[in-house]
Amino acid sequence: MAAEAVDPPHRYKFPLSKVPRLPYDDPQAQRLISAQQPVVLTGSGLVDSALHWNLDYLSDNMANTQFTVYQSDNYYFKYYEARKIPQQKDFVSPTIQMQMSFPEFVEKLKEAQCSKKHWLYLQQPLTEGVGDKIVQDFVSFNWRWISKQQKENNWGPLSSNLLLVGMAGNITPVHYDEQQNFFAQLRGVKRCLLFAPDQFKSLYPFPVYHPHDRQSQVNLENPNLEKFPKVLELKGFEATLHPGDVLYIPIYWWHQIESLPQKGVTISINFWYKVRNSCQQTVTYPLAASQKIAIMRNIEKMVTDALGDINEVAPFMRTMVLGRVD
Ligand SMILES: CCC[C@@H](CC(=O)O)C(=O)C(=O)O
Ligand SMILES: [Zn+2]
């Protein structure tokens, strides 16, 4: 039988180099992690104890837990902070957040795959309430290796493991997180785009007080080049993750994650680590872009608090930067 025709992955308007792909115990991989550079690690065994997870297994072993599931009318799942919505009068949530059991999710998934009217994305921290078999799989992760990484790189505590079960075609649009991330792929194939923190001028972040804080205003697949001309100056990296691969996404690195359209449901687990208490972080010169981002965020928060009106922030910042009193 002829193989199903697979559409080529979307061609972006900017260059994408390959993220290095190395054995997890290769000294070069260690050097990249210490230098906060992305790398795909193979052979870590980090989540080998969960590579058998599929929808049936999870339905059978997580039946008593309620899961957060996002529904989107397109295949984008742009994150938003609900607590910041009151400050943004005209804000429209791009997704609907629902709670349901895993078996209900599987049911809705099948409907959505047939109707092609909406997309679903289950995103839930793995905590208590899951079945014994899941606990067994979880405790059998390669904690020895990842805890060694956490210690050697002086990262803060593990904040969460997010279980991600997505429909083929789902896209988490380009954004950055304020945590270190070992992103483990369990099932299906994900295409990951990454951009260094110093690319923020070409990614036009939303203001810090906006519900889409940490997200880019740009739709990379169909950028508005009048509004965001610097998108064409982007230089990015690309990695394709298969089951067993672990992608290190350094803190403040922009990333867009796509569940490849014809590769079925995807299952991933991320390992988010907080930064160690920032007052212990020495400022080193020349300032790393990640430090600039952290400082800019703090300044924007202080100005927003001082002015008390979010609409005054941008004009004030322009005046401060341009030295002109408008
Ligand atoms: C809510 C987190 C989603 C994830 C991307 C993806 O798998 O769709 C991500 O961005 C991360 O792990 O940081
Ligand atoms: Zn992220």
Side-chain angles (χ1 to χ4, degrees), residues 113-151:
Q113 285 163 333
C114 296
S115 74
K116 297 203 188 321
K117 285 208 188 74
H118 52 255
W119 281 255
L120 297 173
Y121 210 159
L122 180 147
Q123 300 181 359
Q124 175 78 23
L126 271 179
T127 53
E128 63 284 339
V130 295
D132 294 348
K133 278 190 175 174
I134 302 295
V135 172
Q136 190 49 47
D137 298 338
F138 183 84
V139 297
S140 306
F141 287 167
N142 188 348
W143 292 107
R144 188 182 48 73
W145 171 76
I146 202 168
S147 301
K148 183 164 165 279
Q149 291 299 325
Q150 173 191 8
K151 199 155 141 271

Side-chain angles (χ1 to χ4, degrees), residues 241-273:
L241 301 184
H242 297 268
D245 289 344
V246 175
L247 169 65
Y248 168 50
I249 306 176
I251 185 169
Y252 296 120
W253 271 68
W254 297 86
H255 49 287
Q256 172 156 309
I257 314 281
E258 311 176 359
S259 294
L260 284 186
Q262 274 106 357
K263 294 281 183 182
V265 165
T266 55
I267 304 179
S268 317
I269 293 182
N270 72 16
F271 294 68
W272 265 326
Y273 289 87

Side-chain angles (χ1 to χ4, degrees), residues 19-20 28-42 46 145-146 149-150 153 155 179-185 192 194 237 239 241 245-255 257 271-273 275 290:
V19 172
Q28 176 55 12
Q30 202 48 58
R31 277 192 290 275
L32 288 167
I33 295 170
S34 312
Q36 302 203 52
Q37 297 291 315
V39 55
V40 177
L41 303 170
T42 59
L46 178 61
W145 171 76
I146 202 168
Q149 291 299 325
Q150 173 191 8
N153 293 295
W155 292 355
Q179 303 195 68
Q180 303 286 7
N181 186 354
F182 275 122
F183 186 88
Q185 190 60 11
C192 309
L194 289 98
F237 296 86
L241 301 184
D245 289 344
V246 175
L247 169 65
Y248 168 50
I249 306 176
I251 185 169
Y252 296 120
W253 271 68
W254 297 86
H255 49 287
I257 314 281
F271 294 68
W272 265 326
Y273 289 87
V275 284
S290 53

